[in-house]
PDB file of all heavy atoms in Angstrom:
ATOM      1  N   ILE K  16     144.174 144.726 112.673  1.00 97.00           N
ATOM      2  CA  ILE K  16     144.018 146.198 112.799  1.00 97.00           C
ATOM      3  C   ILE K  16     145.403 146.811 112.653  1.00 97.00           C
ATOM      4  O   ILE K  16     146.326 146.453 113.385  1.00 97.00           O
ATOM      5  CB  ILE K  16     143.396 146.579 114.176  1.00 97.00           C
ATOM      6  CG1 ILE K  16     142.132 145.801 114.402  1.00 97.00           C
ATOM      7  CG2 ILE K  16     143.175 148.062 114.247  1.00 97.00           C
ATOM      8  CD1 ILE K  16     141.471 146.065 115.798  1.00 97.00           C
ATOM      9  N   PRO K  18     146.669 150.457 112.493  1.00 97.00           N
ATOM     10  CA  PRO K  18     146.502 151.955 112.509  1.00 97.00           C
ATOM     11  C   PRO K  18     147.719 152.691 111.956  1.00 97.00           C
ATOM     12  O   PRO K  18     148.856 152.354 112.338  1.00 97.00           O
ATOM     13  CB  PRO K  18     146.273 152.211 113.974  1.00 97.00           C
ATOM     14  CG  PRO K  18     147.016 151.108 114.669  1.00 97.00           C
ATOM     15  CD  PRO K  18     146.776 149.903 113.806  1.00 97.00           C
ATOM     16  N   GLY K  28     129.905 154.931 123.899  1.00 91.00           N
ATOM     17  CA  GLY K  28     129.735 154.612 125.342  1.00 91.00           C
ATOM     18  C   GLY K  28     129.335 153.189 125.569  1.00 91.00           C
ATOM     19  O   GLY K  28     129.270 152.694 126.677  1.00 91.00           O
ATOM     20  N   SER K  32     132.457 149.740 120.920  1.00 96.00           N
ATOM     21  CA  SER K  32     133.435 150.781 120.552  1.00 96.00           C
ATOM     22  C   SER K  32     134.501 150.949 121.615  1.00 96.00           C
ATOM     23  O   SER K  32     135.659 151.272 121.312  1.00 96.00           O
ATOM     24  CB  SER K  32     132.748 152.092 120.321  1.00 96.00           C
ATOM     25  OG  SER K  32     131.960 152.537 121.423  1.00 96.00           O
ATOM     26  N   LEU K  39     143.019 149.159 120.110  1.00 98.00           N
ATOM     27  CA  LEU K  39     143.972 150.072 119.371  1.00 98.00           C
ATOM     28  C   LEU K  39     145.070 150.526 120.308  1.00 98.00           C
ATOM     29  O   LEU K  39     146.261 150.587 119.873  1.00 98.00           O
ATOM     30  CB  LEU K  39     143.124 151.355 118.928  1.00 98.00           C
ATOM     31  CG  LEU K  39     142.273 151.152 117.706  1.00 98.00           C
ATOM     32  CD1 LEU K  39     141.287 152.304 117.546  1.00 98.00           C
ATOM     33  CD2 LEU K  39     143.067 150.988 116.466  1.00 98.00           C
ATOM     34  N   HIS K  47     148.444 158.549 118.030  1.00 98.00           N
ATOM     35  CA  HIS K  47     147.444 159.137 118.938  1.00 98.00           C
ATOM     36  C   HIS K  47     146.061 158.852 118.406  1.00 98.00           C
ATOM     37  O   HIS K  47     145.815 158.983 117.202  1.00 98.00           O
ATOM     38  CB  HIS K  47     147.706 160.610 119.020  1.00 98.00           C
ATOM     39  CG  HIS K  47     146.647 161.334 119.853  1.00 98.00           C
ATOM     40  ND1 HIS K  47     146.566 161.286 121.219  1.00 98.00           N
ATOM     41  CD2 HIS K  47     145.629 162.145 119.443  1.00 98.00           C
ATOM     42  CE1 HIS K  47     145.534 161.995 121.646  1.00 98.00           C
ATOM     43  NE2 HIS K  47     144.979 162.510 120.627  1.00 98.00           N
ATOM     44  N   LEU K  72     134.763 156.193 130.586  1.00 96.00           N
ATOM     45  CA  LEU K  72     135.420 154.956 130.142  1.00 96.00           C
ATOM     46  C   LEU K  72     136.881 155.160 129.757  1.00 96.00           C
ATOM     47  O   LEU K  72     137.764 154.384 130.112  1.00 96.00           O
ATOM     48  CB  LEU K  72     134.710 154.370 128.925  1.00 96.00           C
ATOM     49  CG  LEU K  72     133.371 153.746 129.150  1.00 96.00           C
ATOM     50  CD1 LEU K  72     132.625 153.499 127.837  1.00 96.00           C
ATOM     51  CD2 LEU K  72     133.449 152.427 129.932  1.00 96.00           C
ATOM     52  N   PRO K  93     113.375 164.118  99.261  1.00 54.00           N
ATOM     53  CA  PRO K  93     113.800 162.993  98.590  1.00 54.00           C
ATOM     54  C   PRO K  93     115.241 162.499  98.952  1.00 54.00           C
ATOM     55  O   PRO K  93     115.843 161.662  98.267  1.00 54.00           O
ATOM     56  CB  PRO K  93     113.798 163.418  97.110  1.00 54.00           C
ATOM     57  CG  PRO K  93     114.149 164.886  97.245  1.00 54.00           C
ATOM     58  CD  PRO K  93     113.474 165.379  98.467  1.00 54.00           C
ATOM     59  N   PHE K 130     117.438 133.552 116.873  1.00 76.00           N
ATOM     60  CA  PHE K 130     117.752 133.681 118.303  1.00 76.00           C
ATOM     61  C   PHE K 130     116.825 134.718 119.008  1.00 76.00           C
ATOM     62  O   PHE K 130     116.633 134.670 120.207  1.00 76.00           O
ATOM     63  CB  PHE K 130     119.223 134.115 118.521  1.00 76.00           C
ATOM     64  CG  PHE K 130     120.179 133.009 118.189  1.00 76.00           C
ATOM     65  CD1 PHE K 130     120.787 132.966 116.960  1.00 76.00           C
ATOM     66  CD2 PHE K 130     120.450 131.939 119.127  1.00 76.00           C
ATOM     67  CE1 PHE K 130     121.691 131.935 116.657  1.00 76.00           C
ATOM     68  CE2 PHE K 130     121.361 130.986 118.790  1.00 76.00           C
ATOM     69  CZ  PHE K 130     121.964 130.934 117.537  1.00 76.00           C
ATOM     70  N   LYS K 149     137.638 155.745 103.996  1.00 93.00           N
ATOM     71  CA  LYS K 149     138.637 155.673 105.040  1.00 93.00           C
ATOM     72  C   LYS K 149     138.056 155.214 106.383  1.00 93.00           C
ATOM     73  O   LYS K 149     138.785 155.140 107.363  1.00 93.00           O
ATOM     74  CB  LYS K 149     139.360 157.065 105.197  1.00 93.00           C
ATOM     75  CG  LYS K 149     140.155 157.425 104.004  1.00 93.00           C
ATOM     76  CD  LYS K 149     140.884 158.815 104.238  1.00 93.00           C
ATOM     77  CE  LYS K 149     141.697 159.177 103.025  1.00 93.00           C
ATOM     78  NZ  LYS K 149     142.374 160.514 103.216  1.00 93.00           N
ATOM     79  N   VAL K 150     136.776 154.909 106.347  1.00 92.00           N
ATOM     80  CA  VAL K 150     136.102 154.354 107.549  1.00 92.00           C
ATOM     81  C   VAL K 150     136.369 152.863 107.595  1.00 92.00           C
ATOM     82  O   VAL K 150     136.134 152.141 106.693  1.00 92.00           O
ATOM     83  CB  VAL K 150     134.631 154.701 107.512  1.00 92.00           C
ATOM     84  CG1 VAL K 150     133.858 154.100 108.704  1.00 92.00           C
ATOM     85  CG2 VAL K 150     134.369 156.180 107.437  1.00 92.00           C
ATOM     86  N   LEU K 165     137.085 139.138 122.927  1.00 98.00           N
ATOM     87  CA  LEU K 165     138.235 140.001 122.855  1.00 98.00           C
ATOM     88  C   LEU K 165     138.443 140.807 124.191  1.00 98.00           C
ATOM     89  O   LEU K 165     139.546 140.937 124.646  1.00 98.00           O
ATOM     90  CB  LEU K 165     138.088 140.960 121.671  1.00 98.00           C
ATOM     91  CG  LEU K 165     138.317 140.373 120.303  1.00 98.00           C
ATOM     92  CD1 LEU K 165     137.834 141.415 119.235  1.00 98.00           C
ATOM     93  CD2 LEU K 165     139.747 140.040 120.046  1.00 98.00           C
ATOM     94  N   ASN K 170     141.484 141.576 129.087  1.00 98.00           N
ATOM     95  CA  ASN K 170     141.116 142.108 130.445  1.00 98.00           C
ATOM     96  C   ASN K 170     140.568 143.564 130.299  1.00 98.00           C
ATOM     97  O   ASN K 170     140.989 144.490 131.050  1.00 98.00           O
ATOM     98  CB  ASN K 170     142.324 142.118 131.342  1.00 98.00           C
ATOM     99  CG  ASN K 170     142.854 140.720 131.616  1.00 98.00           C
ATOM    100  OD1 ASN K 170     142.096 139.891 131.921  1.00 98.00           O
ATOM    101  ND2 ASN K 170     144.152 140.512 131.482  1.00 98.00           N
ATOM    102  N   CYS K 179     122.086 149.823 126.670  1.00 85.00           N
ATOM    103  CA  CYS K 179     120.677 149.507 126.803  1.00 85.00           C
ATOM    104  C   CYS K 179     119.810 150.416 125.879  1.00 85.00           C
ATOM    105  O   CYS K 179     120.127 151.581 125.723  1.00 85.00           O
ATOM    106  CB  CYS K 179     120.212 149.708 128.229  1.00 85.00           C
ATOM    107  SG  CYS K 179     118.441 149.325 128.510  1.00 85.00           S
ATOM    108  N   CYS K 189     118.152 147.491 131.397  1.00 89.00           N
ATOM    109  CA  CYS K 189     116.822 146.867 131.675  1.00 89.00           C
ATOM    110  C   CYS K 189     116.811 145.366 131.652  1.00 89.00           C
ATOM    111  O   CYS K 189     116.035 144.719 132.326  1.00 89.00           O
ATOM    112  CB  CYS K 189     115.805 147.368 130.632  1.00 89.00           C
ATOM    113  SG  CYS K 189     116.014 146.661 128.992  1.00 89.00           S
TER     114      CYS K 189
END
Side-chain angles (χ1 to χ4, degrees):
I16 307 178
S32 57
L39 285 167
H47 174 74
L72 288 168
F130 289 98
K149 293 181 178 180
V150 178
L165 286 168
N170 298 312
C179 183
C189 71

